[in-house]
Amino acid sequence: DQQVKQNSPSLSVQEGRISILNCDYTNSMFDYFLWYKKYPAEGPTFLISISSIKDKNEDGRFTVFLNKSAKHLSLHIVPSQPGDSAVYFCAAIAMWGYGGSQGNLIFGKGTKLSVKP
Amino acid sequence: DAGITQSPRHKVTETGTPVTLRCHQTENHRYMYWYRQDPGHGLRLIHYSYGVKDTDKGEVSDGYSVSRSKTEDFLLTLESATSSQTSVYFCAATGTSGGEGFFGPGTRLTVL
């Protein structure tokens, strides 16, 4: 049973436009939601996160929105650049115990973003 | 990468042999994780640790064991390697805030 779902395996966007990556989750006990970017042959790189008590967090071109009632979050990248082409992972963590599993950091399957010049 | 290293970076081994992968962090993070990445599956959690000598199973823990005797080191052992354990293994660490987490560069393991 997937607790964190990224239903779009891939996304293609034109340079300069907005990229929107989506993520759904099932566990209401998650405290933080994180986004990672991954290039081939490298480890994932932390991008941005949001606490479950907030609905928006912004860092430069990256903004994450959280809709707790829908158990849905999204990452907006604007403007998109060719260097943003990578696989993006959504992750969630429950810090204070979900069935005893404190600190369990769970990932979605990823969305491959391609930004075309 | 917040000072997370993995060793070895590449390993080829034979079916049935034990293998140990090491993760080392320098930032005193409380939580550490081992994931494997396979095509079509994303990052799947093998085991994680929420403190020294405190570990728990993840989604795909069968055939793997872990140990954490010091804050900075988290070891992953394949007790008897199988070809299905051919994968790229990533170690990660987070602090108690949970708001960010850092990964190592990965270990590519091939089991023949």
Side-chain angles (χ1 to χ4, degrees):
Chain A
D1 181 32
Q2 271 190 274
Q3 297 183 57
V4 178
K5 300 179 185 178
Q6 293 177 260
N7 292 320
S8 298
S10 63
L11 175 68
S12 182
V13 172
Q14 206 68 31
E15 180 179 7
R17 299 290 184 101
I18 185 171
S19 295
I20 300 176
L21 298 111
N22 293 303
C23 179
D24 296 299
Y25 63 95
T26 58
N27 182 6
S28 59
M29 298 297 289
F30 287 134
D31 299 295
Y32 275 94
F33 302 91
L34 304 87
W35 285 95
Y36 287 81
K37 180 168 76 171
K38 187 182 183 303
Y39 294 117
E42 295 182 10
T45 302
F46 172 74
L47 205 52
I48 190 171
S49 66
I50 187 167
S51 164
S52 62
I53 63 173
K54 296 189 175 182
D55 54 21
K56 178 182 175 181
N57 189 26
E58 192 172 354
D59 184 2
R61 297 186 298 114
F62 302 91
T63 303
V64 56
F65 295 93
L66 176 62
N67 181 335
K68 282 189 292 183
S69 61
K71 292 191 173 69
H72 176 83
L73 64 154
S74 60
L75 175 68
H76 292 210
I77 306 172
V78 56
S80 300
Q81 300 172 354
D84 295 329
S85 297
V87 176
Y88 288 78
F89 288 99
C90 171
I93 187 168
M95 296 305 296
W96 302 113
Y98 136 70
S101 300
Q102 57 169 320
N104 192 344
L105 179 62
I106 298 173
F107 282 78
K109 293 187 176 182
T111 297
K112 184 176 183 180
L113 174 65
S114 299
V115 180
K116 299 181 178 179
Chain B
D1 63 1
I4 299 177
T5 57
Q6 293 182 229
S7 60
R9 294 293 314 280
H10 301 271
K11 186 169 182 68
V12 179
T13 191
E14 294 187 348
T15 298
T17 60
V19 176
T20 296
L21 308 183
R22 179 180 183 245
C23 178
H24 180 78
Q25 56 128 339
T26 60
E27 299 296 319
N28 207 36
H29 289 305
R30 177 180 176 183
Y31 300 97
M32 296 186 75
Y33 309 85
W34 277 107
Y35 295 90
R36 60 179 289 175
Q37 186 187 19
D38 304 289
H41 292 280
L43 290 160
R44 292 185 293 175
L45 182 65
I46 304 171
H47 282 278
Y48 69 104
S49 168
Y50 47 95
V52 173
K53 297 186 180 178
D54 291 322
T55 65
D56 205 350
K57 295 179 180 179
E59 176 187 1
V60 290
S61 60
D62 287 348
Y64 301 94
S65 62
V66 290
S67 66
R68 192 168 178 202
S69 58
K70 298 185 290 184
T71 299
E72 57 267 33
D73 291 322
F74 193 33
L75 304 181
L76 176 71
T77 298
L78 288 65
E79 293 134 12
S80 177
T82 67
S83 58
S84 65
Q85 294 176 312
T86 292
S87 187
V88 180
Y89 291 84
F90 289 101
C91 173
T94 67
T96 53
S97 70
E100 59 183 350
F102 305 96
F103 276 80
T107 295
R108 182 172 294 276
L109 176 67
T110 302
V111 183
L112 301 176

PDB file of all heavy atoms in Angstrom, chain B residues 55-91:
ATOM      1  N   THR B  55      16.674   0.527  15.664  1.00  0.00           N
ATOM      2  CA  THR B  55      16.411   0.396  14.236  1.00  0.00           C
ATOM      3  C   THR B  55      15.025  -0.191  14.011  1.00  0.00           C
ATOM      4  O   THR B  55      14.430  -0.781  14.922  1.00  0.00           O
ATOM      5  CB  THR B  55      17.463  -0.511  13.556  1.00  0.00           C
ATOM      6  OG1 THR B  55      17.344  -1.833  14.076  1.00  0.00           O
ATOM      7  CG2 THR B  55      18.874   0.018  13.768  1.00  0.00           C
ATOM      8  N   ASP B  56      14.539  -0.025  12.802  1.00  0.00           N
ATOM      9  CA  ASP B  56      13.225  -0.573  12.463  1.00  0.00           C
ATOM     10  C   ASP B  56      13.220  -0.956  10.998  1.00  0.00           C
ATOM     11  O   ASP B  56      14.024  -0.448  10.205  1.00  0.00           O
ATOM     12  CB  ASP B  56      12.122   0.446  12.758  1.00  0.00           C
ATOM     13  CG  ASP B  56      10.774  -0.211  13.010  1.00  0.00           C
ATOM     14  OD1 ASP B  56      10.644  -1.439  12.779  1.00  0.00           O
ATOM     15  OD2 ASP B  56       9.843   0.500  13.427  1.00  0.00           O
ATOM     16  N   LYS B  57      12.299  -1.843  10.649  1.00  0.00           N
ATOM     17  CA  LYS B  57      12.223  -2.330   9.288  1.00  0.00           C
ATOM     18  C   LYS B  57      11.463  -1.367   8.397  1.00  0.00           C
ATOM     19  O   LYS B  57      10.526  -0.696   8.835  1.00  0.00           O
ATOM     20  CB  LYS B  57      11.522  -3.689   9.256  1.00  0.00           C
ATOM     21  CG  LYS B  57      12.282  -4.786   9.970  1.00  0.00           C
ATOM     22  CD  LYS B  57      11.509  -6.102   9.908  1.00  0.00           C
ATOM     23  CE  LYS B  57      12.275  -7.199  10.629  1.00  0.00           C
ATOM     24  NZ  LYS B  57      11.534  -8.488  10.590  1.00  0.00           N
ATOM     25  N   GLY B  58      11.862  -1.354   7.151  1.00  0.00           N
ATOM     26  CA  GLY B  58      11.135  -0.602   6.150  1.00  0.00           C
ATOM     27  C   GLY B  58      10.321  -1.526   5.270  1.00  0.00           C
ATOM     28  O   GLY B  58       9.991  -2.650   5.635  1.00  0.00           O
ATOM     29  N   GLU B  59      10.023  -1.026   4.093  1.00  0.00           N
ATOM     30  CA  GLU B  59       9.144  -1.725   3.158  1.00  0.00           C
ATOM     31  C   GLU B  59       9.735  -3.017   2.600  1.00  0.00           C
ATOM     32  O   GLU B  59       9.030  -3.989   2.348  1.00  0.00           O
ATOM     33  CB  GLU B  59       8.821  -0.766   2.006  1.00  0.00           C
ATOM     34  CG  GLU B  59       7.985  -1.331   0.886  1.00  0.00           C
ATOM     35  CD  GLU B  59       7.879  -0.354  -0.280  1.00  0.00           C
ATOM     36  OE1 GLU B  59       8.472   0.747  -0.214  1.00  0.00           O
ATOM     37  OE2 GLU B  59       7.206  -0.702  -1.269  1.00  0.00           O
ATOM     38  N   VAL B  60      11.073  -3.042   2.398  1.00  0.00           N
ATOM     39  CA  VAL B  60      11.707  -4.174   1.721  1.00  0.00           C
ATOM     40  C   VAL B  60      12.882  -4.700   2.542  1.00  0.00           C
ATOM     41  O   VAL B  60      14.012  -4.767   2.063  1.00  0.00           O
ATOM     42  CB  VAL B  60      12.139  -3.791   0.290  1.00  0.00           C
ATOM     43  CG1 VAL B  60      10.956  -3.598  -0.612  1.00  0.00           C
ATOM     44  CG2 VAL B  60      13.016  -2.531   0.301  1.00  0.00           C
ATOM     45  N   SER B  61      12.627  -5.095   3.760  1.00  0.00           N
ATOM     46  CA  SER B  61      13.689  -5.460   4.694  1.00  0.00           C
ATOM     47  C   SER B  61      14.161  -6.913   4.603  1.00  0.00           C
ATOM     48  O   SER B  61      15.237  -7.246   5.129  1.00  0.00           O
ATOM     49  CB  SER B  61      13.225  -5.172   6.126  1.00  0.00           C
ATOM     50  OG  SER B  61      12.067  -5.932   6.418  1.00  0.00           O
ATOM     51  N   ASP B  62      13.400  -7.772   3.943  1.00  0.00           N
ATOM     52  CA  ASP B  62      13.780  -9.196   3.900  1.00  0.00           C
ATOM     53  C   ASP B  62      15.147  -9.378   3.237  1.00  0.00           C
ATOM     54  O   ASP B  62      15.397  -8.877   2.147  1.00  0.00           O
ATOM     55  CB  ASP B  62      12.729 -10.005   3.132  1.00  0.00           C
ATOM     56  CG  ASP B  62      11.455 -10.179   3.930  1.00  0.00           C
ATOM     57  OD1 ASP B  62      11.473  -9.878   5.145  1.00  0.00           O
ATOM     58  OD2 ASP B  62      10.449 -10.611   3.345  1.00  0.00           O
ATOM     59  N   GLY B  63      16.029 -10.134   3.906  1.00  0.00           N
ATOM     60  CA  GLY B  63      17.350 -10.406   3.360  1.00  0.00           C
ATOM     61  C   GLY B  63      18.394  -9.376   3.748  1.00  0.00           C
ATOM     62  O   GLY B  63      19.554  -9.495   3.363  1.00  0.00           O
ATOM     63  N   TYR B  64      17.967  -8.361   4.512  1.00  0.00           N
ATOM     64  CA  TYR B  64      18.874  -7.303   4.949  1.00  0.00           C
ATOM     65  C   TYR B  64      18.844  -7.165   6.470  1.00  0.00           C
ATOM     66  O   TYR B  64      17.814  -7.375   7.097  1.00  0.00           O
ATOM     67  CB  TYR B  64      18.452  -5.948   4.378  1.00  0.00           C
ATOM     68  CG  TYR B  64      18.391  -5.845   2.879  1.00  0.00           C
ATOM     69  CD1 TYR B  64      17.186  -6.058   2.202  1.00  0.00           C
ATOM     70  CD2 TYR B  64      19.515  -5.506   2.136  1.00  0.00           C
ATOM     71  CE1 TYR B  64      17.113  -5.947   0.828  1.00  0.00           C
ATOM     72  CE2 TYR B  64      19.448  -5.379   0.755  1.00  0.00           C
ATOM     73  CZ  TYR B  64      18.242  -5.601   0.113  1.00  0.00           C
ATOM     74  OH  TYR B  64      18.165  -5.478  -1.254  1.00  0.00           O
ATOM     75  N   SER B  65      19.973  -6.796   7.027  1.00  0.00           N
ATOM     76  CA  SER B  65      20.028  -6.421   8.434  1.00  0.00           C
ATOM     77  C   SER B  65      20.866  -5.156   8.561  1.00  0.00           C
ATOM     78  O   SER B  65      21.619  -4.810   7.644  1.00  0.00           O
ATOM     79  CB  SER B  65      20.627  -7.537   9.296  1.00  0.00           C
ATOM     80  OG  SER B  65      21.954  -7.811   8.907  1.00  0.00           O
ATOM     81  N   VAL B  66      20.689  -4.439   9.661  1.00  0.00           N
ATOM     82  CA  VAL B  66      21.416  -3.194   9.869  1.00  0.00           C
ATOM     83  C   VAL B  66      21.956  -3.155  11.290  1.00  0.00           C
ATOM     84  O   VAL B  66      21.500  -3.879  12.175  1.00  0.00           O
ATOM     85  CB  VAL B  66      20.531  -1.944   9.627  1.00  0.00           C
ATOM     86  CG1 VAL B  66      20.187  -1.784   8.158  1.00  0.00           C
ATOM     87  CG2 VAL B  66      19.280  -2.001  10.491  1.00  0.00           C
ATOM     88  N   SER B  67      22.931  -2.282  11.468  1.00  0.00           N
ATOM     89  CA  SER B  67      23.436  -2.028  12.814  1.00  0.00           C
ATOM     90  C   SER B  67      23.885  -0.582  12.912  1.00  0.00           C
ATOM     91  O   SER B  67      24.389  -0.005  11.947  1.00  0.00           O
ATOM     92  CB  SER B  67      24.601  -2.966  13.155  1.00  0.00           C
ATOM     93  OG  SER B  67      25.718  -2.705  12.340  1.00  0.00           O
ATOM     94  N   ARG B  68      23.674  -0.033  14.104  1.00  0.00           N
ATOM     95  CA  ARG B  68      24.115   1.335  14.366  1.00  0.00           C
ATOM     96  C   ARG B  68      24.659   1.387  15.790  1.00  0.00           C
ATOM     97  O   ARG B  68      23.895   1.548  16.739  1.00  0.00           O
ATOM     98  CB  ARG B  68      22.964   2.319  14.184  1.00  0.00           C
ATOM     99  CG  ARG B  68      23.447   3.770  14.171  1.00  0.00           C
ATOM    100  CD  ARG B  68      22.371   4.688  13.714  1.00  0.00           C
ATOM    101  NE  ARG B  68      22.792   6.069  13.739  1.00  0.00           N
ATOM    102  CZ  ARG B  68      21.943   7.083  13.793  1.00  0.00           C
ATOM    103  NH1 ARG B  68      20.637   6.852  13.829  1.00  0.00           N
ATOM    104  NH2 ARG B  68      22.400   8.313  13.796  1.00  0.00           N
ATOM    105  N   SER B  69      25.959   1.254  15.891  1.00  0.00           N
ATOM    106  CA  SER B  69      26.616   1.250  17.198  1.00  0.00           C
ATOM    107  C   SER B  69      27.126   2.641  17.568  1.00  0.00           C
ATOM    108  O   SER B  69      27.431   2.903  18.737  1.00  0.00           O
ATOM    109  CB  SER B  69      27.782   0.253  17.205  1.00  0.00           C
ATOM    110  OG  SER B  69      28.700   0.583  16.182  1.00  0.00           O
ATOM    111  N   LYS B  70      27.219   3.531  16.572  1.00  0.00           N
ATOM    112  CA  LYS B  70      27.618   4.919  16.815  1.00  0.00           C
ATOM    113  C   LYS B  70      26.691   5.822  16.015  1.00  0.00           C
ATOM    114  O   LYS B  70      26.165   5.412  14.979  1.00  0.00           O
ATOM    115  CB  LYS B  70      29.064   5.151  16.354  1.00  0.00           C
ATOM    116  CG  LYS B  70      30.097   4.319  17.077  1.00  0.00           C
ATOM    117  CD  LYS B  70      31.508   4.699  16.636  1.00  0.00           C
ATOM    118  CE  LYS B  70      31.778   4.272  15.222  1.00  0.00           C
ATOM    119  NZ  LYS B  70      33.190   4.554  14.821  1.00  0.00           N
ATOM    120  N   THR B  71      26.516   7.039  16.485  1.00  0.00           N
ATOM    121  CA  THR B  71      25.644   7.983  15.786  1.00  0.00           C
ATOM    122  C   THR B  71      26.036   8.137  14.325  1.00  0.00           C
ATOM    123  O   THR B  71      25.183   8.223  13.454  1.00  0.00           O
ATOM    124  CB  THR B  71      25.679   9.359  16.474  1.00  0.00           C
ATOM    125  OG1 THR B  71      25.209   9.229  17.808  1.00  0.00           O
ATOM    126  CG2 THR B  71      24.825  10.377  15.736  1.00  0.00           C
ATOM    127  N   GLU B  72      27.333   8.180  14.052  1.00  0.00           N
ATOM    128  CA  GLU B  72      27.796   8.529  12.720  1.00  0.00           C
ATOM    129  C   GLU B  72      27.802   7.383  11.719  1.00  0.00           C
ATOM    130  O   GLU B  72      27.930   7.620  10.530  1.00  0.00           O
ATOM    131  CB  GLU B  72      29.198   9.143  12.796  1.00  0.00           C
ATOM    132  CG  GLU B  72      30.251   8.270  13.456  1.00  0.00           C
ATOM    133  CD  GLU B  72      30.405   8.548  14.933  1.00  0.00           C
ATOM    134  OE1 GLU B  72      29.384   8.888  15.592  1.00  0.00           O
ATOM    135  OE2 GLU B  72      31.530   8.414  15.443  1.00  0.00           O
ATOM    136  N   ASP B  73      27.662   6.141  12.154  1.00  0.00           N
ATOM    137  CA  ASP B  73      27.775   5.012  11.239  1.00  0.00           C
ATOM    138  C   ASP B  73      26.516   4.147  11.228  1.00  0.00           C
ATOM    139  O   ASP B  73      25.984   3.787  12.282  1.00  0.00           O
ATOM    140  CB  ASP B  73      28.967   4.128  11.608  1.00  0.00           C
ATOM    141  CG  ASP B  73      30.295   4.798  11.345  1.00  0.00           C
ATOM    142  OD1 ASP B  73      30.394   5.515  10.323  1.00  0.00           O
ATOM    143  OD2 ASP B  73      31.226   4.627  12.147  1.00  0.00           O
ATOM    144  N   PHE B  74      26.094   3.803  10.012  1.00  0.00           N
ATOM    145  CA  PHE B  74      24.917   2.947   9.837  1.00  0.00           C
ATOM    146  C   PHE B  74      25.299   1.898   8.794  1.00  0.00           C
ATOM    147  O   PHE B  74      25.578   2.238   7.650  1.00  0.00           O
ATOM    148  CB  PHE B  74      23.729   3.788   9.378  1.00  0.00           C
ATOM    149  CG  PHE B  74      22.397   3.110   9.447  1.00  0.00           C
ATOM    150  CD1 PHE B  74      22.106   2.175  10.428  1.00  0.00           C
ATOM    151  CD2 PHE B  74      21.397   3.451   8.547  1.00  0.00           C
ATOM    152  CE1 PHE B  74      20.856   1.580  10.508  1.00  0.00           C
ATOM    153  CE2 PHE B  74      20.140   2.855   8.610  1.00  0.00           C
ATOM    154  CZ  PHE B  74      19.876   1.924   9.587  1.00  0.00           C
ATOM    155  N   LEU B  75      25.335   0.647   9.189  1.00  0.00           N
ATOM    156  CA  LEU B  75      25.783  -0.426   8.317  1.00  0.00           C
ATOM    157  C   LEU B  75      24.598  -1.243   7.812  1.00  0.00           C
ATOM    158  O   LEU B  75      23.668  -1.555   8.563  1.00  0.00           O
ATOM    159  CB  LEU B  75      26.731  -1.366   9.079  1.00  0.00           C
ATOM    160  CG  LEU B  75      27.967  -0.741   9.723  1.00  0.00           C
ATOM    161  CD1 LEU B  75      28.798  -1.803  10.418  1.00  0.00           C
ATOM    162  CD2 LEU B  75      28.800   0.007   8.697  1.00  0.00           C
ATOM    163  N   LEU B  76      24.652  -1.576   6.539  1.00  0.00           N
ATOM    164  CA  LEU B  76      23.646  -2.427   5.917  1.00  0.00           C
ATOM    165  C   LEU B  76      24.330  -3.726   5.500  1.00  0.00           C
ATOM    166  O   LEU B  76      25.327  -3.692   4.780  1.00  0.00           O
ATOM    167  CB  LEU B  76      23.036  -1.743   4.690  1.00  0.00           C
ATOM    168  CG  LEU B  76      22.040  -2.572   3.881  1.00  0.00           C
ATOM    169  CD1 LEU B  76      20.739  -2.741   4.663  1.00  0.00           C
ATOM    170  CD2 LEU B  76      21.758  -1.910   2.534  1.00  0.00           C
ATOM    171  N   THR B  77      23.783  -4.856   5.943  1.00  0.00           N
ATOM    172  CA  THR B  77      24.359  -6.152   5.611  1.00  0.00           C
ATOM    173  C   THR B  77      23.370  -6.996   4.832  1.00  0.00           C
ATOM    174  O   THR B  77      22.211  -7.132   5.231  1.00  0.00           O
ATOM    175  CB  THR B  77      24.795  -6.902   6.887  1.00  0.00           C
ATOM    176  OG1 THR B  77      25.818  -6.151   7.551  1.00  0.00           O
ATOM    177  CG2 THR B  77      25.341  -8.280   6.549  1.00  0.00           C
ATOM    178  N   LEU B  78      23.849  -7.522   3.722  1.00  0.00           N
ATOM    179  CA  LEU B  78      23.111  -8.530   2.975  1.00  0.00           C
ATOM    180  C   LEU B  78      23.670  -9.865   3.448  1.00  0.00           C
ATOM    181  O   LEU B  78      24.839 -10.189   3.204  1.00  0.00           O
ATOM    182  CB  LEU B  78      23.329  -8.368   1.474  1.00  0.00           C
ATOM    183  CG  LEU B  78      22.676  -7.186   0.773  1.00  0.00           C
ATOM    184  CD1 LEU B  78      23.221  -5.847   1.248  1.00  0.00           C
ATOM    185  CD2 LEU B  78      22.815  -7.323  -0.732  1.00  0.00           C
ATOM    186  N   GLU B  79      22.856 -10.606   4.144  1.00  0.00           N
ATOM    187  CA  GLU B  79      23.364 -11.798   4.818  1.00  0.00           C
ATOM    188  C   GLU B  79      23.845 -12.850   3.827  1.00  0.00           C
ATOM    189  O   GLU B  79      24.861 -13.518   4.050  1.00  0.00           O
ATOM    190  CB  GLU B  79      22.287 -12.344   5.744  1.00  0.00           C
ATOM    191  CG  GLU B  79      21.976 -11.402   6.920  1.00  0.00           C
ATOM    192  CD  GLU B  79      20.472 -11.202   7.157  1.00  0.00           C
ATOM    193  OE1 GLU B  79      19.660 -11.938   6.574  1.00  0.00           O
ATOM    194  OE2 GLU B  79      20.139 -10.297   7.948  1.00  0.00           O
ATOM    195  N   SER B  80      23.129 -13.014   2.745  1.00  0.00           N
ATOM    196  CA  SER B  80      23.500 -13.957   1.689  1.00  0.00           C
ATOM    197  C   SER B  80      22.969 -13.360   0.386  1.00  0.00           C
ATOM    198  O   SER B  80      21.796 -13.503   0.069  1.00  0.00           O
ATOM    199  CB  SER B  80      22.890 -15.333   1.954  1.00  0.00           C
ATOM    200  OG  SER B  80      23.192 -16.232   0.910  1.00  0.00           O
ATOM    201  N   ALA B  81      23.837 -12.677  -0.323  1.00  0.00           N
ATOM    202  CA  ALA B  81      23.396 -11.861  -1.456  1.00  0.00           C
ATOM    203  C   ALA B  81      22.718 -12.700  -2.541  1.00  0.00           C
ATOM    204  O   ALA B  81      23.139 -13.835  -2.851  1.00  0.00           O
ATOM    205  CB  ALA B  81      24.586 -11.121  -2.051  1.00  0.00           C
ATOM    206  N   THR B  82      21.658 -12.143  -3.120  1.00  0.00           N
ATOM    207  CA  THR B  82      20.954 -12.775  -4.237  1.00  0.00           C
ATOM    208  C   THR B  82      20.927 -11.796  -5.411  1.00  0.00           C
ATOM    209  O   THR B  82      21.092 -10.585  -5.230  1.00  0.00           O
ATOM    210  CB  THR B  82      19.517 -13.145  -3.859  1.00  0.00           C
ATOM    211  OG1 THR B  82      18.773 -11.937  -3.647  1.00  0.00           O
ATOM    212  CG2 THR B  82      19.475 -13.992  -2.602  1.00  0.00           C
ATOM    213  N   SER B  83      20.663 -12.312  -6.600  1.00  0.00           N
ATOM    214  CA  SER B  83      20.653 -11.458  -7.789  1.00  0.00           C
ATOM    215  C   SER B  83      19.563 -10.383  -7.706  1.00  0.00           C
ATOM    216  O   SER B  83      19.707  -9.306  -8.287  1.00  0.00           O
ATOM    217  CB  SER B  83      20.462 -12.290  -9.048  1.00  0.00           C
ATOM    218  OG  SER B  83      19.261 -13.034  -8.975  1.00  0.00           O
ATOM    219  N   SER B  84      18.489 -10.661  -6.968  1.00  0.00           N
ATOM    220  CA  SER B  84      17.408  -9.674  -6.822  1.00  0.00           C
ATOM    221  C   SER B  84      17.842  -8.478  -5.976  1.00  0.00           C
ATOM    222  O   SER B  84      17.128  -7.461  -5.926  1.00  0.00           O
ATOM    223  CB  SER B  84      16.178 -10.320  -6.189  1.00  0.00           C
ATOM    224  OG  SER B  84      16.456 -10.735  -4.864  1.00  0.00           O
ATOM    225  N   GLN B  85      18.982  -8.576  -5.325  1.00  0.00           N
ATOM    226  CA  GLN B  85      19.503  -7.466  -4.535  1.00  0.00           C
ATOM    227  C   GLN B  85      20.474  -6.590  -5.325  1.00  0.00           C
ATOM    228  O   GLN B  85      21.039  -5.632  -4.782  1.00  0.00           O
ATOM    229  CB  GLN B  85      20.161  -7.993  -3.259  1.00  0.00           C
ATOM    230  CG  GLN B  85      19.141  -8.635  -2.309  1.00  0.00           C
ATOM    231  CD  GLN B  85      19.771  -9.249  -1.078  1.00  0.00           C
ATOM    232  OE1 GLN B  85      20.752 -10.000  -1.171  1.00  0.00           O
ATOM    233  NE2 GLN B  85      19.200  -8.960   0.084  1.00  0.00           N
ATOM    234  N   THR B  86      20.641  -6.917  -6.597  1.00  0.00           N
ATOM    235  CA  THR B  86      21.373  -6.007  -7.481  1.00  0.00           C
ATOM    236  C   THR B  86      20.581  -4.709  -7.568  1.00  0.00           C
ATOM    237  O   THR B  86      19.412  -4.700  -7.941  1.00  0.00           O
ATOM    238  CB  THR B  86      21.530  -6.631  -8.875  1.00  0.00           C
ATOM    239  OG1 THR B  86      22.397  -7.743  -8.783  1.00  0.00           O
ATOM    240  CG2 THR B  86      22.090  -5.614  -9.856  1.00  0.00           C
ATOM    241  N   SER B  87      21.219  -3.601  -7.203  1.00  0.00           N
ATOM    242  CA  SER B  87      20.497  -2.345  -7.117  1.00  0.00           C
ATOM    243  C   SER B  87      21.484  -1.218  -6.816  1.00  0.00           C
ATOM    244  O   SER B  87      22.688  -1.446  -6.659  1.00  0.00           O
ATOM    245  CB  SER B  87      19.446  -2.421  -5.999  1.00  0.00           C
ATOM    246  OG  SER B  87      18.619  -1.283  -5.980  1.00  0.00           O
ATOM    247  N   VAL B  88      20.945  -0.017  -6.758  1.00  0.00           N
ATOM    248  CA  VAL B  88      21.711   1.113  -6.250  1.00  0.00           C
ATOM    249  C   VAL B  88      21.179   1.417  -4.855  1.00  0.00           C
ATOM    250  O   VAL B  88      19.971   1.584  -4.673  1.00  0.00           O
ATOM    251  CB  VAL B  88      21.582   2.348  -7.158  1.00  0.00           C
ATOM    252  CG1 VAL B  88      22.406   3.501  -6.583  1.00  0.00           C
ATOM    253  CG2 VAL B  88      22.046   2.036  -8.565  1.00  0.00           C
ATOM    254  N   TYR B  89      22.072   1.477  -3.893  1.00  0.00           N
ATOM    255  CA  TYR B  89      21.699   1.675  -2.495  1.00  0.00           C
ATOM    256  C   TYR B  89      22.094   3.088  -2.064  1.00  0.00           C
ATOM    257  O   TYR B  89      23.220   3.525  -2.268  1.00  0.00           O
ATOM    258  CB  TYR B  89      22.389   0.635  -1.609  1.00  0.00           C
ATOM    259  CG  TYR B  89      21.865  -0.753  -1.839  1.00  0.00           C
ATOM    260  CD1 TYR B  89      22.361  -1.552  -2.871  1.00  0.00           C
ATOM    261  CD2 TYR B  89      20.844  -1.269  -1.046  1.00  0.00           C
ATOM    262  CE1 TYR B  89      21.866  -2.826  -3.105  1.00  0.00           C
ATOM    263  CE2 TYR B  89      20.339  -2.546  -1.273  1.00  0.00           C
ATOM    264  CZ  TYR B  89      20.852  -3.307  -2.309  1.00  0.00           C
ATOM    265  OH  TYR B  89      20.345  -4.569  -2.534  1.00  0.00           O
ATOM    266  N   PHE B  90      21.128   3.758  -1.447  1.00  0.00           N
ATOM    267  CA  PHE B  90      21.371   5.112  -0.943  1.00  0.00           C
ATOM    268  C   PHE B  90      21.167   5.155   0.559  1.00  0.00           C
ATOM    269  O   PHE B  90      20.215   4.586   1.091  1.00  0.00           O
ATOM    270  CB  PHE B  90      20.414   6.115  -1.592  1.00  0.00           C
ATOM    271  CG  PHE B  90      20.695   6.388  -3.034  1.00  0.00           C
ATOM    272  CD1 PHE B  90      19.939   5.794  -4.025  1.00  0.00           C
ATOM    273  CD2 PHE B  90      21.725   7.252  -3.393  1.00  0.00           C
ATOM    274  CE1 PHE B  90      20.203   6.053  -5.355  1.00  0.00           C
ATOM    275  CE2 PHE B  90      21.995   7.510  -4.736  1.00  0.00           C
ATOM    276  CZ  PHE B  90      21.229   6.908  -5.709  1.00  0.00           C
ATOM    277  N   CYS B  91      22.057   5.860   1.202  1.00  0.00           N
ATOM    278  CA  CYS B  91      21.930   6.158   2.610  1.00  0.00           C
ATOM    279  C   CYS B  91      21.458   7.595   2.754  1.00  0.00           C
ATOM    280  O   CYS B  91      21.793   8.454   1.932  1.00  0.00           O
ATOM    281  CB  CYS B  91      23.291   5.990   3.280  1.00  0.00           C
ATOM    282  SG  CYS B  91      23.366   6.518   4.982  1.00  0.00           S
TER     283      CYS B  91
END
